[in-house]
Amino acid sequence: EANSLKGAQWSAHANRCQALLGMLVPGSMMPRDIIGCGEAALAAEETGLSHALLGIGHLLQLNDRKGHLAPDSHQVIECFRTAMRLSPENGLTLAMAGHSYGFLLHDLERNLALTKEAVRLLPGHGACWIFYAIALTYCGKASEAVRAARTAVLLCRGTVAQAFALAIEQFANLMAGQIRRAIQSGEASLEHILFRPTIMDLMTGYALLGETSKGRDKLNALITREPDLSIDMLRSSDYPIVNPAHRELTLHAARTLGLK
């Protein structure tokens, strides 16, 4: 597609592609650089997808919890409202917007509705299935989430998004009580991307299985990223864990492994 574009359109397309890559390969780009690509894409050509990618950059900045100021939630949500207004039939835009409502506002009903519509519009798009699987897991629909995550892994196989899909499969399996499968997916993901939630869920999985040494290794990796990590921080609603059962599992694991 880029070969047919020139000038501002080519710049917008290139920056959208770079931002999308940063989203699908967590750790490959700093969130601020994804935000920069979103802003550059918007400056060259305003589209709904550009607004959505700018918003997702801010969400990743919040999720990374490393060296940043938390974005204003109203400004972030406005990015996605504008994105949906400009591109109401773009499945990827709807998937990212839906995730923002779930992750940032804990509006799980809207999260699920938008991501479900995204996979209806783009049934063969692995990224849409990733966000749908997250939405189902947030809602506690464990068996459906596992199926959606497996679909995401199949669709993303052999692409840059494969490791991200495996990380979400880990999350879904963990919440479905399939701990060994969760660990298998998480370790496979961690071979390719350094994603804080993956490390956290591996810590939890190993603690639940009583594999204390491996669990502490993952806890120490989290503390390296967040030196002030504590039980009180994990308990706080400001810490980015959406599903209450997920928070309780994480707290139990952290306590078991000696976090104070």
Side-chain angles (χ1 to χ4, degrees):
E1 182 180 345
N3 288 335
S4 66
L5 302 176
K6 295 180 180 180
Q9 283 191 322
W10 185 91
S11 176
H13 182 83
N15 277 286
R16 284 194 295 267
C17 285
Q18 190 65 43
L20 186 60
L21 179 65
M23 179 191 77
L24 294 175
V25 189
S28 64
M29 287 177 67
M30 294 294 290
R32 65 172 179 266
D33 295 326
I34 298 175
I35 292 168
C37 286
E39 290 172 339
L42 278 173
E45 180 187 33
E46 185 178 25
T47 66
L49 186 57
S50 296
H51 279 282
L53 288 166
L54 176 60
I56 212 74
H58 285 298
L59 281 186
L60 289 173
Q61 191 178 57
L62 179 62
N63 190 56
D64 190 60
R65 296 184 59 80
K66 190 176 180 183
H68 71 273
L69 295 174
D72 180 88
S73 61
H74 298 292
Q75 290 179 337
V76 177
I77 290 297
E78 192 56 37
C79 287
F80 292 105
R81 286 176 178 152
T82 303
M84 289 188 290
R85 176 175 56 80
L86 292 175
S87 303
E89 297 297 320
N90 185 300
L92 187 55
T93 294
L94 294 183
M96 289 188 283
H99 180 65
S100 75
Y101 279 95
F103 180 79
L104 195 56
L105 300 184
H106 294 195
D107 185 346
L108 304 187
E109 184 176 339
R110 191 160 175 78
N111 181 7
L112 190 57
L114 287 171
T115 54
K116 185 176 182 179
E117 177 65 7
V119 297
R120 186 192 71 80
L121 290 169
L122 291 175
H125 201 301
C128 292
W129 281 93
I130 285 173
F131 288 118
Y132 184 44
I134 295 172
L136 288 164
T137 310
Y138 283 171
C139 289
K141 299 178 181 291
S143 58
E144 294 177 59
V146 168
R147 289 194 295 271
R150 287 175 183 166
T151 300
V153 171
L154 287 172
L155 291 172
C156 292
R157 184 170 293 168
T159 74
V160 295
Q162 181 174 338
F164 188 23
L166 286 168
I168 304 312
E169 184 181 47
Q170 173 201 22
F171 178 34
N173 279 322
L174 179 70
M175 298 311 297
Q178 300 179 23
I179 311 302
R180 289 287 182 194
R181 289 184 179 178
I183 288 173
Q184 183 179 15
S185 297
E187 291 289 8
S189 173
L190 210 58
E191 290 179 5
H192 301 283
I193 60 174
L194 189 60
F195 191 37
R196 182 195 56 78
T198 303
I199 301 170
M200 184 180 71
D201 286 345
L202 281 170
M203 173 201 76
T204 302
Y206 283 126
L208 291 173
L209 291 178
E211 298 184 18
T212 305
S213 178
K214 292 181 179 178
R216 283 182 179 148
D217 285 344
K218 301 305 180 189
L219 175 58
N220 289 335
L222 284 177
I223 292 171
T224 297
R225 293 171 61 85
E226 298 181 281
D228 57 344
L229 187 68
S230 66
I231 291 294
D232 285 342
M233 181 185 290
L234 290 175
R235 188 185 291 117
S236 169
S237 60
D238 291 333
Y239 198 85
I241 299 176
V242 173
N243 182 286
H246 187 211
R247 188 181 300 277
E248 288 304 313
L249 279 181
T250 305
L251 279 167
H252 171 74
R255 288 192 195 99
T256 300
L257 297 170
L259 185 67
K260 303 297 184 182

